[in-house]
Amino acid sequence: SGGLVNEIVIQDDFTEDYELLKKYECDNIKVRQNPEHLFPLLGRPHLLNNCKNDWVLLMDSDNFLNEKTFEALHSFTPEPGVIYMPGFAWPEFDFRSQYPDTFIDLKLAANRVNVPGVNWMNVLLNTSNYLVPRKEFLEVAQGIDPSFAACPFEVIYFNYLWLKSGRRFFCKSNYEYVHGLRGD
């Protein structure tokens, strides 16, 4: 209590693992199950409705935070209207040199798409592992077209909705995580 992490909500997307996950539930760890398979696009808002804090760190189940990330998150006060994205994910995603501590709005993202040597769309490829303002995320999520839920570009779609609403991203260079999907 009183620390940076005072609640963990594990969201099961209507899988057979729910009963196993429920065994880990305690005072500060809650396990919730979607009413049906929602996919990430619709599942994230469902998850945020189960959270109580104003700021939520979204993490995929195959990713891990390191100590440096906790230090980074302790060292600043987040601004409303901004989603904070990591500058580095070990071993394969490194935005620190392309976007060092940069605010990204829709105009900047649109102007950078065709810059040689800069793949600005990489910034828009991952809505997981972000620090998000819960109420604003839910407000933008109300505009989601559910027919995009299972599409492979669902992340870009939500991030576009976020930017189109006049909000921004911030690529925080000292915010890192470990991407463990490939068995690392």
Side-chain angles (χ1 to χ4, degrees), residues 59-112:
M59 292 293 297
D60 281 346
S61 61
D62 65 328
N63 298 312
F64 309 92
L65 297 177
N66 60 27
E67 189 173 325
K68 187 174 183 176
T69 296
F70 283 105
E71 291 171 8
L73 295 176
H74 269 296
S75 68
F76 80 107
T77 303
E79 291 182 34
V82 178
I83 287 178
Y84 292 87
M85 55 179 279
F88 180 69
W90 188 88
E92 65 229 273
F93 306 111
D94 192 349
F95 303 120
R96 295 172 295 186
S97 62
Q98 289 182 350
Y99 326 109
D101 296 320
T102 302
F103 279 104
I104 303 160
D105 61 14
L106 185 59
K107 183 177 179 182
L108 179 60
N111 288 335
R112 301 283 285 197

Side-chain angles (χ1 to χ4, degrees), residues 11-74:
Q11 188 81 11
D12 177 72
D13 197 20
F14 204 68
T15 71
E16 297 172 3
D17 295 333
Y18 179 66
E19 291 304 318
L20 175 66
L21 292 169
K22 283 293 278 182
K23 295 176 184 178
Y24 295 98
E25 198 163 45
C26 62
D27 290 342
N28 292 334
I29 299 175
K30 297 171 180 61
V31 179
R32 302 292 182 255
Q33 186 176 51
N34 291 339
E36 60 184 315
H37 182 55
L38 296 176
F39 300 95
L41 183 65
L42 300 175
R44 285 185 199 103
H46 192 74
L47 167 69
L48 291 177
N49 277 318
N50 284 308
C51 296
K52 64 181 178 185
N53 293 313
D54 292 335
W55 286 89
V56 176
L57 181 62
L58 296 174
M59 292 293 297
D60 281 346
S61 61
D62 65 328
N63 298 312
F64 309 92
L65 297 177
N66 60 27
E67 189 173 325
K68 187 174 183 176
T69 296
F70 283 105
E71 291 171 8
L73 295 176
H74 269 296

